[in-house]
Amino acid sequence: MKKMVYMDNERSTMVAKEVIDVMISYFDKYYGHPASIHGLGEQAHDAIDESAETIAHSINAKYNEIVFTSGGTEANDLAIRGIAYANKDKGKHIITSKIEHPSIMRITEQLSKQGFEIDYLNVDEKGFINIEQLKQLIRDETILVSIMHANHEIGAIQPIKEIGELLKDQKHKIHFHVDGQASYTRLPIDVQEFNLDALTLSAHKIHGPKGIGAIYSREKTKIDPILLGYVSLSRLRPGTENVPGIVGFGKAAEIAFKNFSEYVTHMKNLRDELLEGIENAIPEILLHGPRGDKRSPSNVNFSFKYIEGEAIMMYLNMNGVYVSTGSACASRKLEPSHVLSAIGIPPEIAHGSILFALSRYNKKEDVDYVLEVLPRVVNQLRNMSPLWHKMQERS
Amino acid sequence: MGIRYNKKVMEHFMNPKNVGTLEDADTVIEEGNPVCGDMLRMYLKIEEGKIKDIKFLSFGCAANIATASVITELAKGRTLEEAKKITMKEVAENLDNLPRIKMHCAALAAKALQKAIEEYRESEEAKEDKE
């Protein structure tokens, strides 16, 4: 069989075998509607509560504070617009950052057209927000701060605990939402310690199925539903619950937290091996994001100067290595990654970026294989590049 | 990645024709800008009004490399007059078409070739004026 190495885990992950196994019976055995008051309905309802309990426990919340959605995009939408609409009589000012996921940024853009004022925090060259800037931006009308925990492209881990403390100390209520999609099961999250009012989670980033996510919403948080319709179990999210998906999500969380530190250590070791291996093998490169403990355990992102990311990605693809790029050429908008722009990376370097996103299923052999293939691919493309030739001629 | 290429584009991308430099080129030009993510350098060797040899270097995506590869194949052996007429459409057709979002790569390749031919002609005219 052809060698295959999957390192696109920030986008989506393999569903764990155990997860698939528990999901199946909720298609063909326990298919009742969770709001039905008969045997099959109760079975489905209990399964949802059990998953909510598992997930709640993993973030130090209560099971009734977990509401399932169709994924991270919907959870982010529900958190931002739900809190904004429900609290607009208190103020219409929201603070977020310049490196959030599009599922936050598209919503804040929309809200600004509806009369909300949005401030976007700058980040430094490693991708960290500045607490002092946040302090200065807070005013009486501020109702919500939304900051992602770990960044999905460059792995920078934001000082969520410090932000939570700052917001707690304000004289008026400022809601705190965190997008935890890129950190859940990879970094500890404690909604009490972090003082969170809302948190976004997604199943398919943690070896669960696609099409299912969740929002943690603190009890008594003022938040409006965004979808309207038949209320099954939750006022906040009407519609019939995706029971197999929810069961799968709960199982995925259970497995991840059972061996949390073992999995995280495994990913960290691979991350550092890959990161150092690339730095030793290839000249003229740039690491995006921080090093060490402030970097997500699963994230390695480099720009390979003088060549373009889509070409690198597709040559790697031909060798069975699956990654992603921040190059404009690989996006439908033809703009380079807004995260790389925000940390000050010029477009010609952002075009050459490749994200290697690890999971607990990656092995040392995968890293070795990438370190064997990648230098060859980079050389091949550099030999074709007028910019590389120019650089060689100069030196 | 959002963009899918057909077999022909992938063939030219994986095994591009006429990649490299020409030591004895009559004209060397660059077109495009690394800031925008695509750039070509083209080398032309011209004999008796025909393109005898042509090579390219590319900073760019798969479509950039594939369009440069196919236009150098189309241009080789043609007269300057004929080669100048190669359009973006012709480049795309010879790749069994390109995703619409990548048509600018075909445009860049055609523009680069035209620019190379024009620059060659201008330099020839300048030579004649001197004589």
Side-chain angles (χ1 to χ4, degrees):
Chain A
M1 208 181 84
K2 208 182 137 196
K3 176 94 180 154
M4 197 267 272
V5 170
Y6 185 81
M7 289 195 183
D8 198 14
N9 291 289
E10 293 281 8
R11 301 297 280 285
S12 199
T13 61
M14 183 180 89
V15 180
K17 174 78 172 64
E18 304 93 306
V19 169
I20 300 169
D21 289 348
V22 297
M23 285 175 71
I24 303 261
S25 57
Y26 288 86
F27 289 105
D28 63 358
K29 282 200 190 78
Y30 313 119
Y31 44 79
H33 194 290
S36 292
I37 320 169
H38 51 57
L40 282 189
E42 281 168 0
Q43 189 91 31
H45 191 155
D46 288 350
I48 291 174
D49 283 352
E50 213 177 293
S51 279
E53 177 61 45
T54 305
I55 292 164
H57 182 74
S58 72
I59 57 171
N60 195 16
K62 291 180 228 154
Y63 85 98
N64 60 349
E65 293 174 314
I66 302 295
V67 174
F68 293 99
T69 65
S70 63
T73 294
E74 192 198 330
N76 274 339
D77 187 23
L78 180 53
I80 306 291
R81 286 203 294 155
I83 290 173
Y85 293 160
N87 295 279
K88 62 177 190 289
D89 56 324
K90 306 271 189 333
K92 290 182 128 186
H93 181 233
I94 295 169
I95 303 171
T96 180
S97 87
K98 285 187 178 163
I99 60 165
E100 297 299 310
H101 191 267
S103 59
I104 298 282
M105 304 196 91
R106 293 296 89 79
I107 294 158
T108 50
E109 283 163 20
Q110 173 78 5
L111 285 174
S112 74
K113 288 179 198 151
Q114 297 171 353
F116 286 84
E117 283 179 81
I118 319 290
D119 274 314
Y120 296 90
L121 292 169
N122 293 326
V123 290
D124 64 19
E125 77 286 353
K126 295 290 175 220
F128 298 118
I129 64 127
N130 181 331
I131 293 260
E132 290 306 313
Q133 193 196 9
L134 176 59
K135 263 185 209 166
Q136 284 160 16
L137 286 173
I138 289 172
R139 45 182 152 117
D140 291 348
E141 298 78 35
T142 309
I143 51 169
L144 172 64
V145 171
S146 176
I147 305 287
M148 75 195 328
H149 192 190
N151 185 269
H152 55 299
E153 285 187 40
I154 57 171
I157 301 167
Q158 300 300 339
I160 295 300
K161 194 179 166 196
E162 286 88 327
I163 299 170
E165 278 162 9
L166 172 72
L167 296 179
K168 204 175 184 175
D169 289 344
Q170 301 301 310
K171 55 186 185 298
H172 74 286
K173 173 69 189 171
I174 300 176
H175 295 84
F176 187 21
H177 167 252
V178 164
D179 181 350
Q181 292 184 77
S183 65
Y184 186 51
T185 72
R186 280 161 272 175
L187 301 170
I189 299 177
D190 183 322
V191 296
Q192 308 307 332
E193 190 190 339
F194 293 173
N195 188 39
L196 305 190
D197 297 293
L199 171 73
T200 293
L201 303 173
S202 170
H204 76 106
K205 313 273 189 195
I206 68 158
H207 307 291
K210 293 172 181 62
I212 188 80
I215 176 175
Y216 151 80
S217 154
R218 184 183 291 275
E219 256 179 338
K220 294 184 184 132
T221 294
K222 273 185 77 186
I223 174 166
D224 281 352
I226 298 301
L227 276 178
L228 300 176
Y230 167 73
V231 174
S232 173
L233 301 182
S234 162
R235 175 196 72 86
L236 206 51
R237 211 301 189 161
T240 304
E241 288 79 4
N242 171 359
V243 183
I246 291 169
V247 169
F249 192 1
K251 190 71 189 175
E254 182 197 312
I255 299 168
F257 284 98
K258 205 187 284 169
N259 300 301
F260 179 83
S261 52
E262 182 195 320
Y263 291 149
V264 170
T265 308
H266 174 69
M267 283 187 276
K268 263 189 195 166
N269 289 341
L270 291 185
R271 175 195 70 183
D272 293 341
E273 216 167 298
L274 182 62
L275 199 153
E276 286 158 24
I278 292 174
E279 285 185 325
N280 288 333
I282 306 176
E284 297 285 321
I285 60 176
L286 184 65
L287 176 72
H288 300 304
R291 289 173 194 269
D293 284 345
K294 287 187 172 177
R295 185 179 196 100
S296 158
S298 54
N299 179 299
V300 175
N301 188 339
F302 279 105
S303 269
F304 301 90
K305 292 185 194 169
Y306 315 112
I307 50 179
E308 192 278 324
E310 190 206 70
I312 303 171
M313 189 183 83
M314 292 180 67
Y315 268 40
L316 288 176
N317 177 51
M318 287 294 154
N319 286 285
V321 176
Y322 303 150
V323 296
S324 60
T325 171
S327 170
C329 301
S331 85
R332 293 207 163 270
K333 288 197 307 171
L334 296 183
E335 279 166 22
S337 145
H338 72 283
V339 176
L340 297 181
S341 303
I343 60 170
I345 305 299
E348 65 273 24
I349 292 177
H351 291 312
S353 75
I354 294 287
L355 168 58
F356 306 86
L358 301 158
S359 86
R360 66 172 185 253
Y361 290 110
N362 283 117
K363 298 188 178 75
K364 186 181 166 0
E365 294 93 273
D366 296 344
V367 171
D368 293 343
Y369 182 66
V370 171
L371 291 175
E372 179 196 320
V373 170
L374 181 69
R376 219 167 51 217
V377 164
V378 169
N379 263 338
Q380 204 175 344
L381 285 166
R382 280 183 173 169
N383 284 332
M384 255 193 252
S385 162
L387 303 175
W388 177 254
H389 280 251
K390 250 186 221 174
M391 199 277 289
Q392 300 286 79
E393 285 154 20
R394 268 202 309 269
S395 60
Chain B
M1 79 189 132
I3 293 157
R4 282 167 182 261
Y5 295 112
N6 65 35
K7 247 178 131 179
K8 191 100 187 255
V9 176
M10 287 308 291
E11 268 171 37
H12 274 276
F13 168 56
M14 293 307 294
N15 300 296
K17 306 290 184 313
N18 305 312
V19 174
T21 60
L22 279 180
E23 291 297 324
D24 57 346
D26 294 301
T27 182
V28 182
I29 62 101
E30 274 178 7
E31 186 62 36
N33 186 338
V35 174
C36 310
D38 44 19
M39 180 187 171
L40 283 178
R41 192 192 277 185
M42 222 176 243
Y43 299 78
L44 263 61
K45 176 75 191 156
I46 293 164
E47 251 170 44
E48 292 165 8
K50 280 188 181 174
I51 297 178
K52 195 185 169 233
D53 205 357
I54 177 167
K55 296 258 187 216
F56 78 93
L57 294 175
S58 150
F59 168 84
C61 62
N64 183 287
I65 293 168
T67 51
S69 167
V70 94
I71 205 169
T72 54
E73 277 199 317
L74 289 171
K76 211 171 185 174
R78 287 204 197 187
T79 64
L80 295 182
E81 206 50 50
E82 286 165 353
K84 230 190 127 180
K85 285 184 198 148
I86 298 173
T87 61
M88 150 179 116
K89 212 171 143 230
E90 197 178 344
V91 172
E93 276 166 9
N94 277 278
L95 286 166
D96 298 343
N97 239 324
L98 273 176
R100 188 181 300 171
I101 196 167
K102 293 290 183 178
M103 280 304 283
H104 67 99
C105 295
L108 180 78
K111 214 172 146 196
L113 181 60
Q114 283 160 13
K115 185 174 168 184
I117 293 170
E118 271 162 34
E119 284 204 2
Y120 171 75
R121 281 186 167 159
E122 278 166 24
S123 68
E124 287 299 296
E125 278 165 24
K127 266 191 222 164
E128 278 168 26
D129 288 349
K130 267 190 199 163
E131 286 164 14

